[in-house]
Amino acid sequence: MPIESQISEYLHQEAETMECPPAVSKRIEQSYSQYVQRQRSKKTMKKRLIGGIVAAVIMIPTAAFAAPPLIEMITRTPMTAQQVKMDAVGQAALEKLYRSYPETKSFEIIDASQIGGDPANTSQGKAIQTSIVLQEKGAHGKKVRLDLNGITGEIEQVNQENWEPQEKPVISLTDQEIKSKVDDLINKLYGSSSKYECNMEPMQNPDQKTFILNYTEKGSTTPFYQAFVQGNTISISLIGGGPAPSVEGFFMTNGKPDYTADAFLNDEELFSLLHMSPADLKQELAKGASVVEIAASKKISKQQVMDVIASTQAKKQIQADPHGGATDDDRTLELLKRILEPKVLKVIEHKTETPW
């Protein structure tokens, strides 16, 4: 294998295990979006993009930080505005958006993409996720991004940007006014927010004022909706609510349970693979070992651990399909596993009482 290929392969493997700083990720996403806008009409765009990424990775060692988001982005297939309108999931989402906010009918679709599926050939199966970005004309025009579950059609996340005047962005409003803005977005795109208890609190962010709002059902410990308000942007994610995981706090932060990984590690298949009870795994993690290290001590590979957890998480998503699910769809399962693997990797390599 040529030395360039060996270096490229090594850096890609290393990059897949590294976390890109959020600020760098944002700049990469913006650059990539601009590139796609310029090149969308050219059929050879994807091949040339991949070639450019490989070249950058070979020549710039620090480009390894950029690889994880880029790896995710190059797996996305760009869509034209016409393809969005022809796609059943995209069409339904646009109709809901237009009914909720009639002014968005005049907005331009400035970016759209899919993971999985083929927007030019519906026989290739459903996409796992479809993302659509619409913007009002003007440098600071109103902007909306919708991330849709390609299987269920649900809006998994919505970003509403620049809907308040630049001189008085949403973060400058009173707490009650901010909550009203978030309530309005939930009411119009998801359903009534009134049945949820809302907890609003500032985040410890010294660089920019940020609020987090958790909407939780009575008796539930996991938020159904979670909203972040920063600058002139409101971002809402559909979490789904539900009870706390069967085992809490596999990881700790400052001596308190860190629930980030609980949904991934409460996995009967994982416990079976490791030949451990949940309590035993929690006890070993408390000693400072990662799941990968615990598995290695038992001659179990990182890939085996990742396959088990990613498979469980993918099946959960497929079974959540209210239309019957594609439980026998191996292609869908494999696509979902591939999308989930970077998240699983972060969890199984993490060590308790260390920052994420």
Side-chain angles (χ1 to χ4, degrees):
M1 179 184 295
I3 184 63
E4 292 84 359
S5 299
Q6 293 181 40
I7 294 172
S8 175
E9 183 177 316
Y10 172 78
L11 287 174
H12 271 293
Q13 289 174 352
E14 289 297 305
E16 288 174 355
T17 67
M18 300 176 75
E19 183 177 2
C20 183
V24 178
S25 293
K26 188 66 177 176
R27 292 188 62 180
I28 294 167
E29 290 175 11
Q30 291 172 344
S31 298
Y32 176 76
S33 296
Q34 292 169 2
Y35 182 90
V36 170
Q37 287 300 309
R38 291 195 304 269
Q39 304 291 335
R40 174 166 290 164
S41 61
K42 300 179 181 179
K43 293 180 180 179
T44 57
M45 182 273 290
K46 192 169 181 179
K47 287 183 179 177
R48 286 193 280 113
L49 172 61
I50 293 172
I53 291 167
V54 171
V57 169
I58 290 174
M59 297 180 67
I60 309 171
T62 52
F65 282 109
L70 282 176
I71 288 170
E72 179 184 350
M73 283 187 282
I74 63 175
T75 63
R76 304 186 73 94
T77 304
M79 300 175 71
T80 64
Q82 187 60 30
Q83 286 172 333
V84 172
K85 293 172 183 175
M86 294 294 290
D87 176 73
V89 170
Q91 186 180 45
L94 286 178
E95 289 175 356
K96 178 179 283 188
L97 181 67
Y98 294 157
R99 282 197 306 272
S100 304
Y101 297 95
E103 65 265 48
T104 59
K105 291 179 181 178
S106 64
F107 287 14
E108 180 185 6
I109 296 177
I110 62 168
D111 194 15
S113 61
Q114 284 185 345
I115 296 178
D118 181 352
N121 185 354
T122 54
S123 67
Q124 293 298 311
K126 292 181 177 180
I128 302 302
Q129 186 189 70
T130 299
S131 298
I132 310 168
V133 184
L134 302 94
Q135 187 170 23
E136 186 182 38
K137 291 182 179 177
H140 299 289
K142 296 177 181 177
K143 192 173 180 180
V144 181
R145 176 187 173 111
L146 302 173
D147 291 317
L148 313 168
N149 187 311
I151 298 173
T152 66
E154 290 179 310
I155 299 175
E156 294 180 332
Q157 183 163 329
V158 56
N159 279 30
Q160 192 184 63
E161 186 177 339
N162 295 337
W163 283 61
E164 298 301 313
Q166 288 297 305
E167 61 274 16
K168 192 178 181 182
V170 62
I171 202 68
S172 68
L173 304 177
T174 66
D175 289 2
Q176 187 55 48
E177 288 173 329
I178 290 174
K179 181 179 180 301
S180 294
K181 298 289 181 184
V182 177
D183 284 351
D184 182 69
L185 198 50
I186 291 175
N187 292 339
K188 289 182 175 175
L189 293 186
Y190 291 101
S192 174
S193 63
S194 60
K195 67 177 183 179
Y196 301 101
E197 296 175 340
C198 179
N199 173 263
M200 177 177 176
E201 58 182 278
M203 293 183 67
Q204 299 299 319
N205 184 348
D207 299 324
Q208 190 170 24
K209 188 177 180 183
T210 303
F211 285 100
I212 180 172
L213 292 83
N214 287 313
Y215 288 77
T216 308
E217 293 174 302
K218 289 183 179 178
S220 177
T221 55
T222 304
F224 202 89
Y225 302 110
Q226 189 171 60
F228 289 89
V229 179
Q230 187 179 67
N232 207 359
T233 299
I234 298 173
S235 175
I236 299 176
S237 297
L238 174 63
I239 306 297
S246 56
V247 178
E248 290 187 347
F250 278 110
F251 298 145
M252 307 288 283
T253 301
N254 297 325
K256 295 181 179 179
D258 176 344
Y259 300 112
T260 305
D262 288 357
F264 287 85
L265 298 184
N266 278 293
D267 186 330
E268 292 297 330
E269 297 296 327
L270 174 66
F271 303 142
S272 176
L273 176 69
L274 298 177
H275 303 292
M276 300 178 78
S277 70
D280 289 340
L281 176 59
K282 186 173 178 177
Q283 187 175 17
E284 290 301 309
L285 292 172
K287 296 176 182 177
S290 68
V291 176
V292 170
E293 291 172 340
I294 294 169
S297 70
K298 296 173 175 288
K299 310 296 183 188
I300 299 168
S301 71
K302 177 166 62 178
Q303 188 62 49
Q304 285 177 284
V305 175
M306 193 154 62
D307 283 344
V308 164
I309 300 176
S311 180
T312 299
Q313 296 295 320
K315 288 175 181 175
K316 285 181 180 178
Q317 291 196 21
I318 291 173
Q319 289 167 358
D321 181 357
H323 304 297
T327 50
D328 296 324
D329 187 340
D330 291 338
R331 182 174 177 277
T332 301
L333 181 64
E334 289 304 314
L335 277 171
L336 278 172
K337 285 175 62 179
R338 193 177 68 185
I339 294 167
L340 289 161
E341 281 183 352
K343 297 178 181 177
V344 175
L345 188 62
K346 288 177 65 175
V347 170
I348 63 179
E349 291 189 329
H350 186 73
K351 295 184 179 182
T352 190
E353 295 288 8
T354 58
W356 286 88

